[in-house]
Amino acid sequence: MSRIVLKAILGFVMRVLYRPKVEGMERIPATGPVILAGNHVTFIDSLFLSLLVKRPVYFIGKDEYVTGKGVKGRLMAWFFTSAGMIPVDRDGGHGGVAALMTGRRVLEEGSVFGIYPEGTRSPDGRLYRGRTGIARLTLMTGAPVVPFAMIGTDKVQPGGKGLPRIAPVTVRFGEPLDFSRYDGMDRDRYVLRAVTDEVMSDVMELSGQEYVDIYATKARAA
């Protein structure tokens, strides 16, 4: 119920203020498990994705977003969980495994799981090398991957901080990718890299971003 209320209210406000352009929504299967994999340019990307896609979208978020104290903490927890966020402690030694298993559970329940293969927000607006968790998910579950691109959200919330601004936003979905030809090969690192690179190639084509073949975390640290 909270998701319906949030989507109805914020979805209406978002459409009135931003008039977002959505391309290729019909490419998202109406039923069954689906992985939505796209670029990540600002904090607000997940909110746009969750509010614009017709089906409920679940995604991983830091558990600190839902562990705050007091009224503010409870409001934040309600907001993020209603938007589809599943809190996971990603800073621990097993954070990556926990995120992977959470995504697998969502998909095995026949739901939609949103993921940013870069692993973090782009530090400079370019598209960075994808991590192979996306490949493991699609090969373990058989779920198709629908690539997507967020365009303009970095102008809405530059740097991922501060109050959102009014700017044009486009969300573009590509054709579903089927990797069933690699069934049973989810432990082959060459296959995992090939699948990940194919997804990122489609994201690059949809977004028009310059591609950088290093991980975003390394670029951010540098």
Side-chain angles (χ1 to χ4, degrees):
M1 182 61 69
S2 59
R3 174 186 285 269
I4 295 174
V5 172
L6 183 68
K7 195 164 187 174
I9 297 174
L10 276 188
F12 174 76
V13 172
M14 179 181 291
R15 285 179 170 82
V16 170
L17 292 180
Y18 296 99
R19 299 186 182 278
K21 184 178 181 182
V22 182
E23 302 175 1
M25 181 76 77
E26 71 282 355
R27 291 169 174 165
I28 301 176
T31 60
V34 184
I35 301 172
L36 301 182
N39 61 334
H40 195 14
V41 292
T42 191
F43 177 80
I44 208 169
D45 289 334
S46 296
L47 185 59
F48 270 91
L49 186 68
S50 181
L51 292 176
L52 293 175
V53 173
K54 296 178 181 178
R55 296 180 61 185
V57 180
Y58 298 92
F59 53 92
I60 296 297
K62 295 180 180 179
D63 62 349
E64 64 190 58
Y65 295 145
V66 299
T67 56
K69 305 297 183 181
V71 175
K72 180 181 178 181
R74 290 194 294 272
L75 284 174
M76 286 184 63
W78 174 84
F79 177 82
F80 284 112
T81 55
S82 297
M85 192 196 88
I86 301 174
V88 170
D89 180 6
R90 298 187 301 176
D91 295 328
H94 300 286
V97 175
L100 185 67
M101 291 301 101
T102 299
R104 181 176 184 175
R105 175 175 58 80
V106 169
L107 294 168
E108 288 178 343
E109 291 173 353
S111 299
V112 181
F113 186 68
I115 187 172
Y116 303 110
E118 292 169 279
T120 187
R121 294 193 301 272
S122 171
D124 55 15
R126 295 185 293 177
L127 186 69
Y128 284 83
R129 194 182 202 208
R131 296 188 177 274
T132 57
I134 175 68
R136 293 181 186 277
L137 277 178
T138 186
L139 297 185
M140 287 191 300
T141 64
V145 178
V146 175
F148 71 88
M150 290 287 180
I151 304 169
T153 52
D154 55 332
K155 303 298 189 299
V156 174
Q157 197 179 37
K161 298 180 180 180
L163 293 175
R165 305 174 182 178
I166 305 299
V169 171
T170 297
V171 184
R172 186 175 294 151
F173 297 95
E175 294 290 347
L177 301 174
D178 176 18
F179 295 104
S180 58
R181 61 187 182 279
Y182 296 124
D183 185 39
M185 303 176 71
D186 59 284
R187 294 184 180 276
D188 187 315
R189 63 189 181 97
Y190 296 106
V191 169
L192 294 176
R193 175 47 53 192
V195 169
T196 304
D197 287 348
E198 184 174 340
V199 173
M200 297 308 292
S201 176
D202 277 25
V203 172
M204 178 182 67
E205 185 175 342
L206 290 166
S207 69
Q209 291 170 282
E210 176 187 349
Y211 180 75
V212 185
D213 195 26
I214 62 172
Y215 291 121
T217 49
K218 290 186 176 180
R220 188 183 296 278

